[in-house]
Amino acid sequence: MSKSAISVSVFIATSLDGFIARPDGDVSWLDDYEPMGKGEDGGYGELFNAVDSMVMGRGTFEKVLTFDWSYGTKPITVMSKSLTEVPEKLKGSVRIVALSPLELLEKMEAEGCRHIYLDGGQVIQSFLREGLVDDMTLTVIPVLLGQGIPLFGHLEGDIKLNLLEARSWENGFTQSKYQVVK
Amino acid sequence: MSKSAISVSVFIATSLDGFIARPDGDVSWLDDYEPMGKGEDGGYGELFNAVDSMVMGRGTFEKVLTFDWSYGTKPITVMSKSLTEVPEKLKGSVRIVALSPLELLEKMEAEGCRHIYLDGGQVIQSFLREGLVDDMTLTVIPVLLGQGIPLFGHLEGDIKLNLLEARSWENGFTQSKYQVVK
C-alpha cells in the first residue's frame, strides 16, 4: 500500500539554533515577541483548516493539555506506547494509538483521511526517517536558546528539500516552506 | 577595555538542521546546488572586502588548506592551542595564536583592526558565549544532513537577535542576517 493518498504537513516554530522548546518543554519564550501583524498567523489557520486530522506525540500532547485547548475542531491522534487514558473532557476528539508511522498512515488513509498536520519533535523525526513527511513550514524565532528539545535528529542519509516559499515579518520571524524530495 | 571598537561578523552556511559540515568535516554537499545567480555570492564578497582580517579555528583552517586557497588578500589569525607551524606558502598571511576570544580582540584592536570575519563552528560558539559577536549572516541550504558538525552549541543563557534582512534564491537557499542584541 502506498502512502501517496495521504499528505503529511509539518508546521512548527524553532529557535535559530533549532529548538522547539526548552529542556523541560517550556515554550513561554515564544511569548516574548510581538505578533507577526494584525490578524496574521503565519499560515497556521490556513493549514489547520486544510487538514482532516492532527497527529502528535505524547510530549506535545501533554504540553498542549496545559494550554487552553486550541486544537478544538479537528480529531487528534496521539502516538504513544505509554499513554492509555484520554482525559475525560477530550474523549471523542482525541485517541491514543501505539502504531508505527506507516501503520498509522495506513489506518488513517483507510479511515478516509487525506491530509494530516504533524506536531512535535519526536513524531516529526520518526516520520522524516521513514520518508513520510510531504512538506514542512518552519518559522524561525530570532533567539539562540543554547539547549532544549531539538526539532531535528539523527538521520541515516540526507533528506533533500525544495524551497517553496520564504518570508519574514517585522517582529523578526522568518518562515520557510519546504517540500520533501522523495 | 571595551571591545566596542572592533566589529565581529559571522557569515556561514548550514544545512536546515544546523550543520556546517558532515561529521568528518566534508562540505562537498554544498557543491550539489546551482549558484544563487549569475555573479551572485550572497553578500560574501561585500563582507570580505569590508573586513580587515579573518579569524578561524584549527578545524576550519585545516579544511581550507585542502581547498584552493580563496582567502588570499586578508590576514588570517588561526586560534589554536595545538597548532604551532604555519605552512611555508602561507607565512606572512597567516598567524597562529593561543588566546581567548577577548584577549584576541584586545590584541587585534591594539593592532588597528576594526572589523573581523569569524569562521568555523567552535570559534563562533566561543565568541557567542562571551558576547563578542556583532552580526551573523546565515545561509540555509535546503537539505537535512542528520548528523555533522553543528554551527551552534550549548549556551548558559538566551542570546536575543534582531533580524536585519532576510532573502532567498531560486536555488532554494535562504539567508538571514541578524544583529546580536547585547
PDB file of all heavy atoms in Angstrom, chain B residues 85-116:
ATOM      1  N   GLU B  85      52.880  25.510  13.715  1.00  0.00           N
ATOM      2  CA  GLU B  85      53.588  25.786  12.462  1.00  0.00           C
ATOM      3  C   GLU B  85      52.644  26.279  11.368  1.00  0.00           C
ATOM      4  O   GLU B  85      51.660  25.615  11.031  1.00  0.00           O
ATOM      5  CB  GLU B  85      54.243  24.488  11.961  1.00  0.00           C
ATOM      6  CG  GLU B  85      55.617  24.239  12.509  1.00  0.00           C
ATOM      7  CD  GLU B  85      56.631  25.313  12.129  1.00  0.00           C
ATOM      8  OE1 GLU B  85      56.874  25.492  10.908  1.00  0.00           O
ATOM      9  OE2 GLU B  85      57.167  25.977  13.037  1.00  0.00           O
ATOM     10  N   VAL B  86      52.928  27.405  10.795  1.00  0.00           N
ATOM     11  CA  VAL B  86      52.198  27.882   9.618  1.00  0.00           C
ATOM     12  C   VAL B  86      52.848  27.270   8.380  1.00  0.00           C
ATOM     13  O   VAL B  86      54.080  27.320   8.239  1.00  0.00           O
ATOM     14  CB  VAL B  86      52.249  29.420   9.545  1.00  0.00           C
ATOM     15  CG1 VAL B  86      51.610  29.921   8.252  1.00  0.00           C
ATOM     16  CG2 VAL B  86      51.564  30.037  10.758  1.00  0.00           C
ATOM     17  N   PRO B  87      52.049  26.685   7.473  1.00  0.00           N
ATOM     18  CA  PRO B  87      52.641  26.127   6.244  1.00  0.00           C
ATOM     19  C   PRO B  87      53.451  27.192   5.502  1.00  0.00           C
ATOM     20  O   PRO B  87      53.066  28.364   5.477  1.00  0.00           O
ATOM     21  CB  PRO B  87      51.412  25.709   5.432  1.00  0.00           C
ATOM     22  CG  PRO B  87      50.324  25.512   6.443  1.00  0.00           C
ATOM     23  CD  PRO B  87      50.606  26.487   7.546  1.00  0.00           C
ATOM     24  N   GLU B  88      54.557  26.758   4.919  1.00  0.00           N
ATOM     25  CA  GLU B  88      55.524  27.671   4.288  1.00  0.00           C
ATOM     26  C   GLU B  88      54.863  28.685   3.353  1.00  0.00           C
ATOM     27  O   GLU B  88      55.124  29.885   3.436  1.00  0.00           O
ATOM     28  CB  GLU B  88      56.578  26.845   3.522  1.00  0.00           C
ATOM     29  CG  GLU B  88      57.819  27.635   3.123  1.00  0.00           C
ATOM     30  CD  GLU B  88      58.569  28.198   4.337  1.00  0.00           C
ATOM     31  OE1 GLU B  88      58.720  27.485   5.356  1.00  0.00           O
ATOM     32  OE2 GLU B  88      58.977  29.376   4.255  1.00  0.00           O
ATOM     33  N   LYS B  89      53.979  28.209   2.481  1.00  0.00           N
ATOM     34  CA  LYS B  89      53.388  29.087   1.462  1.00  0.00           C
ATOM     35  C   LYS B  89      52.472  30.158   2.060  1.00  0.00           C
ATOM     36  O   LYS B  89      52.074  31.090   1.371  1.00  0.00           O
ATOM     37  CB  LYS B  89      52.596  28.271   0.428  1.00  0.00           C
ATOM     38  CG  LYS B  89      51.359  27.575   0.985  1.00  0.00           C
ATOM     39  CD  LYS B  89      50.485  26.952  -0.124  1.00  0.00           C
ATOM     40  CE  LYS B  89      49.256  26.262   0.487  1.00  0.00           C
ATOM     41  NZ  LYS B  89      48.289  25.784  -0.479  1.00  0.00           N
ATOM     42  N   LEU B  90      52.109  29.997   3.352  1.00  0.00           N
ATOM     43  CA  LEU B  90      51.173  30.939   3.973  1.00  0.00           C
ATOM     44  C   LEU B  90      51.848  31.858   4.983  1.00  0.00           C
ATOM     45  O   LEU B  90      51.202  32.725   5.572  1.00  0.00           O
ATOM     46  CB  LEU B  90      50.036  30.183   4.656  1.00  0.00           C
ATOM     47  CG  LEU B  90      49.163  29.368   3.709  1.00  0.00           C
ATOM     48  CD1 LEU B  90      48.166  28.534   4.476  1.00  0.00           C
ATOM     49  CD2 LEU B  90      48.448  30.287   2.719  1.00  0.00           C
ATOM     50  N   LYS B  91      53.160  31.656   5.159  1.00  0.00           N
ATOM     51  CA  LYS B  91      53.856  32.532   6.109  1.00  0.00           C
ATOM     52  C   LYS B  91      53.731  33.972   5.613  1.00  0.00           C
ATOM     53  O   LYS B  91      53.827  34.245   4.434  1.00  0.00           O
ATOM     54  CB  LYS B  91      55.310  32.117   6.273  1.00  0.00           C
ATOM     55  CG  LYS B  91      55.408  30.904   7.202  1.00  0.00           C
ATOM     56  CD  LYS B  91      56.823  30.455   7.491  1.00  0.00           C
ATOM     57  CE  LYS B  91      56.770  29.322   8.519  1.00  0.00           C
ATOM     58  NZ  LYS B  91      57.924  28.428   8.444  1.00  0.00           N
ATOM     59  N   GLY B  92      53.461  34.873   6.519  1.00  0.00           N
ATOM     60  CA  GLY B  92      53.257  36.261   6.113  1.00  0.00           C
ATOM     61  C   GLY B  92      51.783  36.630   6.076  1.00  0.00           C
ATOM     62  O   GLY B  92      51.410  37.750   6.377  1.00  0.00           O
ATOM     63  N   SER B  93      50.915  35.666   5.705  1.00  0.00           N
ATOM     64  CA  SER B  93      49.478  35.987   5.680  1.00  0.00           C
ATOM     65  C   SER B  93      48.698  35.285   6.790  1.00  0.00           C
ATOM     66  O   SER B  93      47.557  35.635   7.054  1.00  0.00           O
ATOM     67  CB  SER B  93      48.878  35.637   4.321  1.00  0.00           C
ATOM     68  OG  SER B  93      49.029  34.263   4.057  1.00  0.00           O
ATOM     69  N   VAL B  94      49.319  34.299   7.415  1.00  0.00           N
ATOM     70  CA  VAL B  94      48.628  33.535   8.468  1.00  0.00           C
ATOM     71  C   VAL B  94      49.461  33.539   9.750  1.00  0.00           C
ATOM     72  O   VAL B  94      50.680  33.381   9.701  1.00  0.00           O
ATOM     73  CB  VAL B  94      48.405  32.066   8.015  1.00  0.00           C
ATOM     74  CG1 VAL B  94      47.800  31.236   9.148  1.00  0.00           C
ATOM     75  CG2 VAL B  94      47.512  31.997   6.779  1.00  0.00           C
ATOM     76  N   ARG B  95      48.791  33.717  10.868  1.00  0.00           N
ATOM     77  CA  ARG B  95      49.470  33.537  12.157  1.00  0.00           C
ATOM     78  C   ARG B  95      48.598  32.650  13.043  1.00  0.00           C
ATOM     79  O   ARG B  95      47.383  32.567  12.850  1.00  0.00           O
ATOM     80  CB  ARG B  95      49.714  34.882  12.836  1.00  0.00           C
ATOM     81  CG  ARG B  95      48.435  35.567  13.263  1.00  0.00           C
ATOM     82  CD  ARG B  95      48.724  36.828  14.072  1.00  0.00           C
ATOM     83  NE  ARG B  95      47.482  37.584  14.268  1.00  0.00           N
ATOM     84  CZ  ARG B  95      47.431  38.753  14.847  1.00  0.00           C
ATOM     85  NH1 ARG B  95      48.535  39.354  15.298  1.00  0.00           N
ATOM     86  NH2 ARG B  95      46.274  39.393  15.002  1.00  0.00           N
ATOM     87  N   ILE B  96      49.253  32.015  14.004  1.00  0.00           N
ATOM     88  CA  ILE B  96      48.543  31.153  14.945  1.00  0.00           C
ATOM     89  C   ILE B  96      48.666  31.761  16.334  1.00  0.00           C
ATOM     90  O   ILE B  96      49.761  32.151  16.745  1.00  0.00           O
ATOM     91  CB  ILE B  96      49.139  29.732  14.925  1.00  0.00           C
ATOM     92  CG1 ILE B  96      48.940  29.116  13.535  1.00  0.00           C
ATOM     93  CG2 ILE B  96      48.480  28.848  15.993  1.00  0.00           C
ATOM     94  CD1 ILE B  96      49.762  27.866  13.286  1.00  0.00           C
ATOM     95  N   VAL B  97      47.529  31.860  17.019  1.00  0.00           N
ATOM     96  CA  VAL B  97      47.561  32.403  18.378  1.00  0.00           C
ATOM     97  C   VAL B  97      46.861  31.443  19.333  1.00  0.00           C
ATOM     98  O   VAL B  97      45.928  30.746  18.961  1.00  0.00           O
ATOM     99  CB  VAL B  97      46.875  33.790  18.480  1.00  0.00           C
ATOM    100  CG1 VAL B  97      47.551  34.810  17.572  1.00  0.00           C
ATOM    101  CG2 VAL B  97      45.383  33.696  18.177  1.00  0.00           C
ATOM    102  N   ALA B  98      47.313  31.421  20.567  1.00  0.00           N
ATOM    103  CA  ALA B  98      46.662  30.628  21.621  1.00  0.00           C
ATOM    104  C   ALA B  98      46.132  31.604  22.660  1.00  0.00           C
ATOM    105  O   ALA B  98      46.676  31.727  23.756  1.00  0.00           O
ATOM    106  CB  ALA B  98      47.658  29.641  22.235  1.00  0.00           C
ATOM    107  N   LEU B  99      45.069  32.330  22.280  1.00  0.00           N
ATOM    108  CA  LEU B  99      44.481  33.347  23.154  1.00  0.00           C
ATOM    109  C   LEU B  99      42.995  33.068  23.312  1.00  0.00           C
ATOM    110  O   LEU B  99      42.386  32.371  22.499  1.00  0.00           O
ATOM    111  CB  LEU B  99      44.647  34.738  22.524  1.00  0.00           C
ATOM    112  CG  LEU B  99      46.074  35.248  22.300  1.00  0.00           C
ATOM    113  CD1 LEU B  99      46.038  36.571  21.530  1.00  0.00           C
ATOM    114  CD2 LEU B  99      46.794  35.427  23.638  1.00  0.00           C
ATOM    115  N   SER B 100      42.407  33.655  24.331  1.00  0.00           N
ATOM    116  CA  SER B 100      40.948  33.602  24.464  1.00  0.00           C
ATOM    117  C   SER B 100      40.342  34.585  23.453  1.00  0.00           C
ATOM    118  O   SER B 100      41.035  35.478  22.951  1.00  0.00           O
ATOM    119  CB  SER B 100      40.534  33.999  25.875  1.00  0.00           C
ATOM    120  OG  SER B 100      40.686  35.400  26.042  1.00  0.00           O
ATOM    121  N   PRO B 101      39.043  34.457  23.170  1.00  0.00           N
ATOM    122  CA  PRO B 101      38.414  35.417  22.258  1.00  0.00           C
ATOM    123  C   PRO B 101      38.634  36.876  22.673  1.00  0.00           C
ATOM    124  O   PRO B 101      39.005  37.713  21.840  1.00  0.00           O
ATOM    125  CB  PRO B 101      36.932  35.027  22.319  1.00  0.00           C
ATOM    126  CG  PRO B 101      36.954  33.547  22.550  1.00  0.00           C
ATOM    127  CD  PRO B 101      38.111  33.351  23.510  1.00  0.00           C
ATOM    128  N   LEU B 102      38.420  37.177  23.946  1.00  0.00           N
ATOM    129  CA  LEU B 102      38.559  38.565  24.381  1.00  0.00           C
ATOM    130  C   LEU B 102      40.014  39.034  24.277  1.00  0.00           C
ATOM    131  O   LEU B 102      40.284  40.152  23.819  1.00  0.00           O
ATOM    132  CB  LEU B 102      38.049  38.728  25.819  1.00  0.00           C
ATOM    133  CG  LEU B 102      38.014  40.158  26.343  1.00  0.00           C
ATOM    134  CD1 LEU B 102      37.127  41.051  25.464  1.00  0.00           C
ATOM    135  CD2 LEU B 102      37.511  40.195  27.790  1.00  0.00           C
ATOM    136  N   GLU B 103      40.943  38.175  24.682  1.00  0.00           N
ATOM    137  CA  GLU B 103      42.373  38.533  24.553  1.00  0.00           C
ATOM    138  C   GLU B 103      42.727  38.806  23.094  1.00  0.00           C
ATOM    139  O   GLU B 103      43.458  39.746  22.777  1.00  0.00           O
ATOM    140  CB  GLU B 103      43.250  37.375  25.068  1.00  0.00           C
ATOM    141  CG  GLU B 103      43.261  37.220  26.579  1.00  0.00           C
ATOM    142  CD  GLU B 103      43.871  35.893  27.030  1.00  0.00           C
ATOM    143  OE1 GLU B 103      44.072  34.987  26.190  1.00  0.00           O
ATOM    144  OE2 GLU B 103      44.135  35.763  28.241  1.00  0.00           O
ATOM    145  N   LEU B 104      42.183  37.976  22.195  1.00  0.00           N
ATOM    146  CA  LEU B 104      42.491  38.170  20.778  1.00  0.00           C
ATOM    147  C   LEU B 104      41.922  39.492  20.266  1.00  0.00           C
ATOM    148  O   LEU B 104      42.601  40.243  19.550  1.00  0.00           O
ATOM    149  CB  LEU B 104      41.952  37.001  19.945  1.00  0.00           C
ATOM    150  CG  LEU B 104      42.197  37.155  18.442  1.00  0.00           C
ATOM    151  CD1 LEU B 104      43.684  37.241  18.124  1.00  0.00           C
ATOM    152  CD2 LEU B 104      41.560  36.005  17.660  1.00  0.00           C
ATOM    153  N   LEU B 105      40.682  39.792  20.655  1.00  0.00           N
ATOM    154  CA  LEU B 105      40.089  41.046  20.181  1.00  0.00           C
ATOM    155  C   LEU B 105      40.868  42.248  20.704  1.00  0.00           C
ATOM    156  O   LEU B 105      41.076  43.229  19.989  1.00  0.00           O
ATOM    157  CB  LEU B 105      38.622  41.142  20.598  1.00  0.00           C
ATOM    158  CG  LEU B 105      37.648  40.225  19.857  1.00  0.00           C
ATOM    159  CD1 LEU B 105      36.215  40.609  20.196  1.00  0.00           C
ATOM    160  CD2 LEU B 105      37.851  40.276  18.343  1.00  0.00           C
ATOM    161  N   GLU B 106      41.309  42.173  21.959  1.00  0.00           N
ATOM    162  CA  GLU B 106      42.094  43.279  22.520  1.00  0.00           C
ATOM    163  C   GLU B 106      43.403  43.454  21.743  1.00  0.00           C
ATOM    164  O   GLU B 106      43.805  44.570  21.408  1.00  0.00           O
ATOM    165  CB  GLU B 106      42.375  43.019  24.008  1.00  0.00           C
ATOM    166  CG  GLU B 106      41.107  43.188  24.854  1.00  0.00           C
ATOM    167  CD  GLU B 106      41.288  42.807  26.326  1.00  0.00           C
ATOM    168  OE1 GLU B 106      42.338  42.211  26.663  1.00  0.00           O
ATOM    169  OE2 GLU B 106      40.375  43.111  27.113  1.00  0.00           O
ATOM    170  N   LYS B 107      44.020  42.332  21.439  1.00  0.00           N
ATOM    171  CA  LYS B 107      45.273  42.379  20.671  1.00  0.00           C
ATOM    172  C   LYS B 107      45.048  42.964  19.273  1.00  0.00           C
ATOM    173  O   LYS B 107      45.797  43.832  18.817  1.00  0.00           O
ATOM    174  CB  LYS B 107      45.816  40.952  20.555  1.00  0.00           C
ATOM    175  CG  LYS B 107      47.076  40.786  19.711  1.00  0.00           C
ATOM    176  CD  LYS B 107      47.444  39.286  19.644  1.00  0.00           C
ATOM    177  CE  LYS B 107      48.565  39.003  18.660  1.00  0.00           C
ATOM    178  NZ  LYS B 107      49.857  39.549  19.114  1.00  0.00           N
ATOM    179  N   MET B 108      43.977  42.490  18.625  1.00  0.00           N
ATOM    180  CA  MET B 108      43.737  42.942  17.252  1.00  0.00           C
ATOM    181  C   MET B 108      43.295  44.403  17.218  1.00  0.00           C
ATOM    182  O   MET B 108      43.631  45.142  16.298  1.00  0.00           O
ATOM    183  CB  MET B 108      42.723  42.021  16.565  1.00  0.00           C
ATOM    184  CG  MET B 108      43.305  40.618  16.357  1.00  0.00           C
ATOM    185  SD  MET B 108      42.211  39.453  15.492  1.00  0.00           S
ATOM    186  CE  MET B 108      42.397  40.007  13.789  1.00  0.00           C
ATOM    187  N   GLU B 109      42.555  44.797  18.238  1.00  0.00           N
ATOM    188  CA  GLU B 109      42.164  46.207  18.294  1.00  0.00           C
ATOM    189  C   GLU B 109      43.407  47.087  18.445  1.00  0.00           C
ATOM    190  O   GLU B 109      43.546  48.113  17.772  1.00  0.00           O
ATOM    191  CB  GLU B 109      41.187  46.437  19.443  1.00  0.00           C
ATOM    192  CG  GLU B 109      40.643  47.856  19.440  1.00  0.00           C
ATOM    193  CD  GLU B 109      39.558  48.083  20.487  1.00  0.00           C
ATOM    194  OE1 GLU B 109      39.033  47.090  21.038  1.00  0.00           O
ATOM    195  OE2 GLU B 109      39.259  49.257  20.739  1.00  0.00           O
ATOM    196  N   ALA B 110      44.314  46.649  19.313  1.00  0.00           N
ATOM    197  CA  ALA B 110      45.562  47.404  19.502  1.00  0.00           C
ATOM    198  C   ALA B 110      46.377  47.456  18.217  1.00  0.00           C
ATOM    199  O   ALA B 110      47.117  48.415  17.962  1.00  0.00           O
ATOM    200  CB  ALA B 110      46.388  46.778  20.627  1.00  0.00           C
ATOM    201  N   GLU B 111      46.214  46.441  17.382  1.00  0.00           N
ATOM    202  CA  GLU B 111      46.926  46.410  16.090  1.00  0.00           C
ATOM    203  C   GLU B 111      46.245  47.282  15.026  1.00  0.00           C
ATOM    204  O   GLU B 111      46.716  47.380  13.898  1.00  0.00           O
ATOM    205  CB  GLU B 111      46.993  44.958  15.580  1.00  0.00           C
ATOM    206  CG  GLU B 111      47.904  44.057  16.407  1.00  0.00           C
ATOM    207  CD  GLU B 111      47.718  42.576  16.094  1.00  0.00           C
ATOM    208  OE1 GLU B 111      46.777  42.216  15.358  1.00  0.00           O
ATOM    209  OE2 GLU B 111      48.525  41.768  16.596  1.00  0.00           O
ATOM    210  N   GLY B 112      45.081  47.830  15.395  1.00  0.00           N
ATOM    211  CA  GLY B 112      44.394  48.720  14.451  1.00  0.00           C
ATOM    212  C   GLY B 112      43.250  48.058  13.698  1.00  0.00           C
ATOM    213  O   GLY B 112      42.650  48.674  12.808  1.00  0.00           O
ATOM    214  N   CYS B 113      42.947  46.829  14.041  1.00  0.00           N
ATOM    215  CA  CYS B 113      41.874  46.122  13.362  1.00  0.00           C
ATOM    216  C   CYS B 113      40.521  46.670  13.806  1.00  0.00           C
ATOM    217  O   CYS B 113      40.324  46.962  14.987  1.00  0.00           O
ATOM    218  CB  CYS B 113      41.992  44.635  13.676  1.00  0.00           C
ATOM    219  SG  CYS B 113      40.810  43.625  12.801  1.00  0.00           S
ATOM    220  N   ARG B 114      39.593  46.822  12.886  1.00  0.00           N
ATOM    221  CA  ARG B 114      38.277  47.367  13.227  1.00  0.00           C
ATOM    222  C   ARG B 114      37.121  46.433  12.896  1.00  0.00           C
ATOM    223  O   ARG B 114      36.013  46.594  13.373  1.00  0.00           O
ATOM    224  CB  ARG B 114      38.058  48.716  12.505  1.00  0.00           C
ATOM    225  CG  ARG B 114      38.953  49.842  13.028  1.00  0.00           C
ATOM    226  CD  ARG B 114      38.628  50.178  14.489  1.00  0.00           C
ATOM    227  NE  ARG B 114      39.589  51.103  15.081  1.00  0.00           N
ATOM    228  CZ  ARG B 114      40.636  50.729  15.809  1.00  0.00           C
ATOM    229  NH1 ARG B 114      40.881  49.439  16.041  1.00  0.00           N
ATOM    230  NH2 ARG B 114      41.444  51.624  16.335  1.00  0.00           N
ATOM    231  N   HIS B 115      37.351  45.456  12.054  1.00  0.00           N
ATOM    232  CA  HIS B 115      36.244  44.580  11.636  1.00  0.00           C
ATOM    233  C   HIS B 115      36.828  43.217  11.267  1.00  0.00           C
ATOM    234  O   HIS B 115      37.699  43.137  10.401  1.00  0.00           O
ATOM    235  CB  HIS B 115      35.523  45.211  10.429  1.00  0.00           C
ATOM    236  CG  HIS B 115      34.224  44.533  10.078  1.00  0.00           C
ATOM    237  ND1 HIS B 115      33.425  44.971   9.042  1.00  0.00           N
ATOM    238  CD2 HIS B 115      33.578  43.451  10.605  1.00  0.00           C
ATOM    239  CE1 HIS B 115      32.347  44.186   8.958  1.00  0.00           C
ATOM    240  NE2 HIS B 115      32.415  43.264   9.878  1.00  0.00           N
ATOM    241  N   ILE B 116      36.356  42.174  11.926  1.00  0.00           N
ATOM    242  CA  ILE B 116      36.845  40.847  11.565  1.00  0.00           C
ATOM    243  C   ILE B 116      35.709  39.937  11.109  1.00  0.00           C
ATOM    244  O   ILE B 116      34.546  40.111  11.481  1.00  0.00           O
ATOM    245  CB  ILE B 116      37.625  40.160  12.714  1.00  0.00           C
ATOM    246  CG1 ILE B 116      36.711  39.823  13.890  1.00  0.00           C
ATOM    247  CG2 ILE B 116      38.813  40.985  13.159  1.00  0.00           C
ATOM    248  CD1 ILE B 116      37.383  38.936  14.920  1.00  0.00           C
TER     249      ILE B 116
END
